[in-house]
């Protein structure tokens, strides 16, 4: 009897040792339940500028620091005199750089109502200038970004310029001094108060909204799966860590905003291609569009530059009524592993917006609809070194329609879901091929193009495929299966004001989160710009017949995975050897303990 007890004790001692050895692998694959959603309010940070002056092309060697006004002027082209630009510098040494900026404005106070020139704000990377020495000739012209971050027309009172992207990128690179340059985009004069003015209340200020960086810690990187709310950011996150691939899905979680926006949902995959290239490919839903397929080619054609447009309305939505996410469910079948989850919005209010903005006597909204629901679902399958992501979208029928434009009707209108693609490659050589031909939505001469397949490649190696050749189901009295028509498109096929106006604020949350989050899984700083004009692949999934009926559809994306991913400090290729070694150690411990037991 004593011999039996001793043997059992030896076994349990060995078992405890094995569990200790296996702890890293156990923590690596564990998951956590959905957390409660009690979001906190964002914090704000306001600071005045530390340097401000203007430069004048007519007096290229003169410094104007002694002026109490900041002068923005354009009486000619940039190469011909009459240009006056304002330089503003902010010092952020008092701000925790790890915080996530979700909104940032530079606030001016306009002193005079002049000829109302359009004013643009630009980001300058050189912060070494001083206000008492800056002139037109020594200004860091080559460090000024060649695109405008925001534009405003002049009026007496406060002006707000959106600089969110610039602040997000500066802070991600630990840049504590930030410079903005203001230029007149049209002829005319404008004067604003500066920090040197007698009214400090009207000084130039930087106003930021942020959430603490601890929001990033709410995604448990070492866990195999995680579903829950990011409490500080009003977002819901689904996270999958398969060892050689990361998948993250971010969804808007019914933030009670006064503005409305589409069913913002971003899904991105981070992995290494077979050749070792680090990759991130993401898809974000920009907005829905209602269109009239006049040429009957099955997809939305639009060119706002030439005014050849099939877009009838933009369709934005408010999801404040009901938000029901499902946690990730995992299943295994043979050599494949599948993860499945969905996001369900109930009782959705839809705003039908005029494509060109506001209409006199009506405003910007042609009608207000109530949809039974919108649900976005995902099925993610790993088979060997390939992954398959099947997304699905289900839209309930229109329960109610309130006309604002007399006679408005959905009859005869198709529905388009407009997406932006985020492609990041460690080599910087990723190319997009639509129907085997190179395509770039940013090229001025590019046009809309029907597509059934897309390949994203790097040095002749395909690492991501997208398939669109399938049907969607339209349900009325009976179910009908209809052909989906998808097309690659350019930013000129989107009205410059309406989509950005409705989506910019939520995208700032997504962008700020990704800028802080991706370095945690990639090990390097990445540039994330969700502005659709910067995407090399914009695409539409078009449902030529809709009429406000219930709709179901699911396209598929394929990623070609490599085997060199390192996650949570443990290389995935070492997990199996660790387990094998642990088992050997377990057997060895049992043998040793049994020998001790029988030794005199």
């Amino acid at each position: 009897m004593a011999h039996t007890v001793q043997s059992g004790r030896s076994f349990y001692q060995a078992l405890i040792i094995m569990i200790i050895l296996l702890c890293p692998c156990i923590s690596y694959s564990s998951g956590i339940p959905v957390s409660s959603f009690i979001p906190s309010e964002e914090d704000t940070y306001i600071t005045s500028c530390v340097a401000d002056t203007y430069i004048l092309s007519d007096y290229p060697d003169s410094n104007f620091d002694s002026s109490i006004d900041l002068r923005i002027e354009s009486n000619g082209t940039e190469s011909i005199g009459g240009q006056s630009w304002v330089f503003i510098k902010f010092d952020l040494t008092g701000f925790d750089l790890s915080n996530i900026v979700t909104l940032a404005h530079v606030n001016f106070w306009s002193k005079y109502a002049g000829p109302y020139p359009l004013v643009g704000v630009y980001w300058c990377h050189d912060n070494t200038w001083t206000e008492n020495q800056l002139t037109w000739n020594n200004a860091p012209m080559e460090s000024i970004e060649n695109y405008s971050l925001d534009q405003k027309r002049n009026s007496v009172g406060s002006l707000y310029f959106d600089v969110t992207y610039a602040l997000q990128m500066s802070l991600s690179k630990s840049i504590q001094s930030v410079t903005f340059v203001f230029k007149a985009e049209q002829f005319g004069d404008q004067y604003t108060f500066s920090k040197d003015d007698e009214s400090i209340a009207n000084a130039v200020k930087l106003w930021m909204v942020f959430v603490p960086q601890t929001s990033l810690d709410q995604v448990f990187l070492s866990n195999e799966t995680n579903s829950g709310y990011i409490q500080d950011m009003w977002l819901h996150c689904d996270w999958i860590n398969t060892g050689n691939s990361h998948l993250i899905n971010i969804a808007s979680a019914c933030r009670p905003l006064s503005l409305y926006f589409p069913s913002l949902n971003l899904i991105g995959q981070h992995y290494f291609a077979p050749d070792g290239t680090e990759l991130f490919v993401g898809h974000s839903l920009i907005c829905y569009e209602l269109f009239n397929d006049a040429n009957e080619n099955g997809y939305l054609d639009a060119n706002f530059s030439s005014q050849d447009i099939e877009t009838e309305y933009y369709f934005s939505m408010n999801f404040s009524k009901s938000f029901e996410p499902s946690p990730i469910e995992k299943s295994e079948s043979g050599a494949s592993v599948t993860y499945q989850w969905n996001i369900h919005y109930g009782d959705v209010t839809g705003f039908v917006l005029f494509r060109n903005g506001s209409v006199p006597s009506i405003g910007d909204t042609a009608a207000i609809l109530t949809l039974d629901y919108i649900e976005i679902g995902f099925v993610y399958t790993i088979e060997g070194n390939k992954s398959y992501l099947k997304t699905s979208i289900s839209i309930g029928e229109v329960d109610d329609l309130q006309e604002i434009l007399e006679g408005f009707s959905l009859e005869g209108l198709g529905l388009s879901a407009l997406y932006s693609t985020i492609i990041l490659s460690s080599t910087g050589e990723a190319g997009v091929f639509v129907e085997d031909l190179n395509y770039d939505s940013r090229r001025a001469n590019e046009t809309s193009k029907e597509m059934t397949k897309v390949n994203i490649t790097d040095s002749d190696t395909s690492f991501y495929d997208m398939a669109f050749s399938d049907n969607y189901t339209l349900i009325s009295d009976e179910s009908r299966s209809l052909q989906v028509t998808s097309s690659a498109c350019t930013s000129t096929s989107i009205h410059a004001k309406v989509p950005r106006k409705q989506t910019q604020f939520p995208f700032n949350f997504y962008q700020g989160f990704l800028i802080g989050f991706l370095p945690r899984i990639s090990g390097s700083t990445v540039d994330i710009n969700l502005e659709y004009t910067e995407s090399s692949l914009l695409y539409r999934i078009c449902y030529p017949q809709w009429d406000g009926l219930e709709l179901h559809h699911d396209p598929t994306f394929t990623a070609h995975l490599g085997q060199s991913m390192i996650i949570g400090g443990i290389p995935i290729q070492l997990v199996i050897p660790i387990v094998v070694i642990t088992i050997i150690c377990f057997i060895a411990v049992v043998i040793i303990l049994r020998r001790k037991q029988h030794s005199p």
Side-chain angles (χ1 to χ4, degrees), residues 37-53:
F37 186 30
I38 309 175
S40 60
E41 293 299 322
E42 304 95 322
D43 292 319
T44 58
Y45 181 88
I46 302 173
T47 184
S48 298
C49 61
V50 295
D52 62 337
T53 188

Side-chain angles (χ1 to χ4, degrees), residues 502-519:
Q502 306 304 335
T503 65
Q504 190 60 35
F505 183 70
F507 272 150
N508 289 340
F509 271 72
Y510 282 42
Q511 186 166 273
F513 175 82
L514 287 175
I515 287 173
F517 180 77
L518 286 182

Side-chain angles (χ1 to χ4, degrees), residues 189-311:
D189 295 341
Q190 175 171 318
Y191 295 89
T192 63
F193 283 122
S194 76
K195 72 177 180 64
D196 298 322
D197 193 88
E198 67 278 3
S199 176
I200 297 299
N202 294 333
V204 180
K205 291 183 173 63
L206 175 64
W207 178 80
M208 295 189 295
V209 177
F210 68 95
V211 295
Q213 62 85 27
T214 51
S215 298
L216 301 175
D217 298 328
Q218 295 172 39
V219 181
F220 294 84
L221 301 185
S222 61
N223 289 7
E224 180 183 0
T225 63
N226 177 39
S227 293
Y229 295 94
I230 305 172
Q231 277 102 333
D232 297 303
M233 301 191 73
W234 298 83
L235 300 176
H236 186 272
C237 177
D238 288 289
W239 163 260
I240 298 173
N241 174 355
T242 65
N244 58 352
S245 175
H246 299 124
L247 195 79
I248 186 165
N249 176 221
I250 310 172
S252 298
C254 285
R255 181 182 174 87
L257 295 173
S258 58
L259 58 91
Y260 39 88
F261 48 86
S263 57
L264 290 178
N265 194 290
L266 185 148
I267 187 159
Q269 186 171 0
H270 171 257
Y271 61 102
F272 286 87
D275 66 354
T277 302
E278 185 180 10
L279 304 162
F280 180 84
V281 182
H283 309 267
S284 61
L285 178 58
I286 298 177
C287 67
Y288 297 102
E289 302 159 300
L290 301 179
F291 70 102
N292 182 3
D293 188 18
N295 60 10
E296 298 183 348
N297 63 1
Y299 62 90
L300 188 158
D301 288 298
N303 189 323
F304 279 89
S305 297
S306 64
Q307 296 302 306
D308 182 15
I309 304 166
E310 289 183 345
T311 311

Side-chain angles (χ1 to χ4, degrees), residues 64-86:
F64 298 95
D65 174 48
S66 60
S67 172
I68 64 170
D69 289 330
L70 294 175
R71 180 176 176 179
I72 303 172
E73 178 181 11
S74 177
N75 290 320
T77 66
E78 291 188 6
S79 59
I80 304 173
Q83 300 294 313
S84 181
W85 299 353
V86 167

Side-chain angles (χ1 to χ4, degrees), residues 512-529:
F513 175 82
L514 287 175
I515 287 173
F517 180 77
L518 286 182
R520 295 191 171 205
I521 58 177
S522 70
S524 58
T525 301
V526 293
D527 291 345
I528 294 287
N529 187 349

Side-chain angles (χ1 to χ4, degrees), residues 271-274 279 385-387 462-465 558-562:
Y271 61 102
F272 286 87
L279 304 162
N385 65 344
K386 284 190 178 183
S387 70
S462 179
F463 59 77
Y464 202 90
D465 299 329
T558 303
H560 301 271
L561 307 179

Side-chain angles (χ1 to χ4, degrees), residues 152 166 497 574:
K152 291 289 182 295
K497 294 182 179 178
L574 294 183

